[in-house]
Each structure stands twice: as structure tokens, then as C-alpha cells.
Amino acid sequence: MRKGVKVALIAAGICIVSGGILMGAGAAGGAGFARQGDGGRMAEEWSETDSFFAKLFPGSGYYSGREAEDGYPVYDGDFETQIESAALPLCLDAELGGHTLEILEGDGQEIFLEGSNCDRIQCYVRKDTLYVRDVGKWKKYLKTGKRELKLTVPAGTRWESAKLEVDMGLIRAERLEADETSLSTDMGSVEIGDLRTGGLEAETNMGSIELSGRVEGDVSVETGMGSVGLWLSQPKEDFNYTVSAEMGEVNLDGEDFDGLSREKSIENGADWEMELSTSMGSIDISFD
């Protein structure tokens, strides 16, 4: 589905659901959402549509993760484990729902995962890729406290590709280096303190992405109703630009683009391209 259409549907859904809640408040007599407090039985009866609207109101929502991979342990609660691998993985692929994941660098050559109050997490190496996954259905967002993960990898690791995707949680890295980096959020956040990458794709629906660092390759940034902020330690002239802002705003190193009915191109004769597109969100790019 095209991003603009998806955002429009989400906005319409918010209006419809909000209106329904307001109209039904008096009749409900303070009963609130009927599904709350009914436990797993009602959760099993939810349709995919119910799950979608639950994301708009996370206080009553659930998250459905991927199916668990056979042959790898599933971690719950508090734990600390070393991730077995014959060699250092080449790629990183993290996909989380309601957890917070912090990526750290350690002194040794081992990979460790530490969890606190976690709900069905898998972490394993397969075909040169290190995976971190939320797994299982109907994972409650509330009444579970903070779900925190810490992934420690060898210092100086450079991934061939790093893919970080988060639904309503948070992924944070103090440093990340990769040949290609892909960041995606729904209503959650990704934060990277020092990114060094040869190419970047950043996409958010209603969440946020914030990073600083250097990109030596093409950049693609797309937002629905969320925000992306890039603070790059390089000159603006490293890129040619294509900018598109429908009902949102793009700030390119102090120059504002908003409400454009067509694309705006800036040609610097550079080797790398930066495509910036927003429907109803914001993009902020700054340079040294």
C-alpha cells in the first residue's frame, strides 16, 4: 500500500474510532472498552481489524510477532545468554514490537543478549545473519512493566547490512557501522548516536527516527505522520536532492519545503542522491 494511502486510512480510522468512543461514552456508563480485562479468551476472538485499531490505542492493544523459528530458544522474563555462532555474523536484523533494545559494543568477540521482563524473544545466528525477534501472538503492551533488551556485540563491528524495525517499542544504538542500513518504525522509535554507513533507508509511519553520523551513499527518507531527524557530519554538497512534501514539512539544512504540489530537485553534481518524502510528517536534515 502506498504510504499516502496508508496514512489517510490511519487518520480516518482515528477519527472514526474517536467519534465512536465519544458517542458511546454516555451509554457505556463508564464501562470503558468491553475487551479490557477479559483476558486471553477475548484476545483470541479479535480480528485483524481489531488488532489494527488497538495500535491506535495501545492502552487496550496487543502485538502479534513473528512465528518462532524452530530449533532456537525462546526467552522470557529476566535472562542473560551468549549467542552461539561459529564466526562473527555479517548482517544484523532486529524486528521488535513492544520491547526496548539497546545495542552496545563490548571488549570481547562474543555476542550476548540480556533481557529484563521480556515476553517471548528469540536471538540467533542463521546464514551469517544475527536475528533478534519478537515472536508469538497477542503480546500485551500494558501491565507488564518495562521490557528491556541489551545486545552486546564486539567493538568495531561493521555489518554488511543492518536492518532495524520496530512497531511500538524503541531500538537504540550508541554506535552502528554498516555497508547498508535500513531503519523502519510504525509507532515506535529508532535512535542512533553515531552511524557510519554506505547507504541509508529510513521510513516511519507514525513514529520517529533520530540519528547522527555520516552516510557515504544514497539516502532515502520517507515519513507518513512521523518524524525523521538526521544530523550528518559532512557537507550538504555531498548529495543531489529530490524533495516532496504533501501536507508535511521538510527542513533541509535550514531551508523549508512544505505543502509542495510537485517534487523539488536540487542538483549539486554529486555522486550520491538523497530522496526526501513526507505525507503529513516532518523531515529535518542538518550538516556540519
Side-chain angles (χ1 to χ4, degrees):
M1 180 182 294
R2 292 182 59 189
K3 178 63 68 175
V5 175
K6 184 177 182 180
V7 170
L9 290 174
I10 291 173
I14 293 174
C15 295
I16 293 170
V17 175
S18 299
I21 292 171
L22 292 173
M23 288 187 294
F33 288 99
R35 297 188 191 276
Q36 287 184 343
D38 204 17
R41 181 182 63 82
M42 288 300 295
E44 292 175 358
E45 296 174 1
W46 278 29
S47 66
E48 289 299 320
T49 302
D50 293 321
S51 181
F52 168 77
F53 283 111
K55 286 185 177 182
L56 303 181
F57 299 94
S60 62
Y62 292 75
Y63 169 76
S64 291
R66 286 176 175 251
E67 295 291 338
E69 289 286 341
D70 293 337
Y72 302 102
V74 176
Y75 303 105
D76 282 294
D78 300 339
F79 67 90
E80 183 175 359
T81 185
Q82 180 177 340
I83 307 303
E84 299 295 333
S85 178
L88 184 66
L90 301 177
C91 303
L92 172 64
D93 190 329
E95 182 178 338
L96 296 174
H99 288 76
T100 294
L101 171 64
E102 187 172 7
I103 303 173
L104 306 169
E105 293 192 340
D107 295 331
Q109 295 301 306
E110 297 83 12
I111 299 173
F112 293 95
L113 183 68
E114 180 182 355
S116 175
N117 195 37
C118 294
D119 182 10
R120 286 168 287 178
I121 290 293
Q122 283 192 310
C123 184
Y124 54 89
V125 176
R126 187 183 66 188
K127 295 182 179 180
D128 296 327
T129 298
L130 172 63
Y131 292 94
V132 185
R133 290 279 191 263
D134 255 307
V135 297
K137 304 296 184 181
W138 307 117
K139 299 154 70 80
K140 286 186 177 181
Y141 281 119
L142 288 190
K143 299 181 181 180
T144 57
K146 294 183 178 180
R147 297 184 178 133
E148 298 180 342
L149 295 163
K150 291 184 179 180
L151 177 68
T152 303
V153 301
T157 297
R158 182 178 178 93
W159 309 98
E160 288 187 359
S161 68
K163 179 182 178 182
L164 308 181
E165 183 175 347
V166 60
D167 191 313
M168 297 180 70
L170 166 66
I171 297 180
R172 179 189 295 117
E174 58 182 16
R175 178 187 174 277
L176 185 69
E177 188 172 357
D179 294 340
E180 297 288 337
T181 302
S182 174
L183 311 175
S184 176
T185 75
D186 190 354
M187 297 175 69
S189 300
V190 172
E191 301 173 0
I192 302 177
D194 183 14
L195 175 67
R196 306 287 166 167
T197 185
L200 173 65
E201 292 184 2
E203 180 180 3
T204 181
N205 187 7
M206 299 172 68
S208 66
I209 296 173
E210 296 185 2
L211 61 88
S212 60
R214 184 179 180 89
V215 182
E216 297 183 345
D218 294 337
V219 176
S220 173
V221 177
E222 184 176 1
T223 73
M225 291 192 288
S227 65
V228 173
L230 310 182
W231 292 267
L232 302 179
S233 57
Q234 60 196 105
K236 179 180 178 181
E237 291 73 23
D238 276 356
F239 302 93
N240 304 314
Y241 301 88
T242 301
V243 181
S244 174
E246 296 176 11
M247 298 175 65
E249 180 180 7
V250 175
N251 184 293
L252 182 57
D253 204 34
E255 184 177 1
D256 288 330
F257 302 86
D258 54 16
L260 299 179
S261 59
R262 59 184 178 83
E263 291 184 346
K264 172 71 173 182
S265 296
I266 302 173
E267 178 60 48
N268 290 323
D271 293 331
W272 304 322
E273 303 292 329
M274 184 178 290
E275 297 183 0
L276 309 174
S277 175
T278 180
S279 296
M280 300 171 65
S282 65
I283 300 174
D284 189 0
I285 314 292
S286 299
F287 299 88
D288 282 350

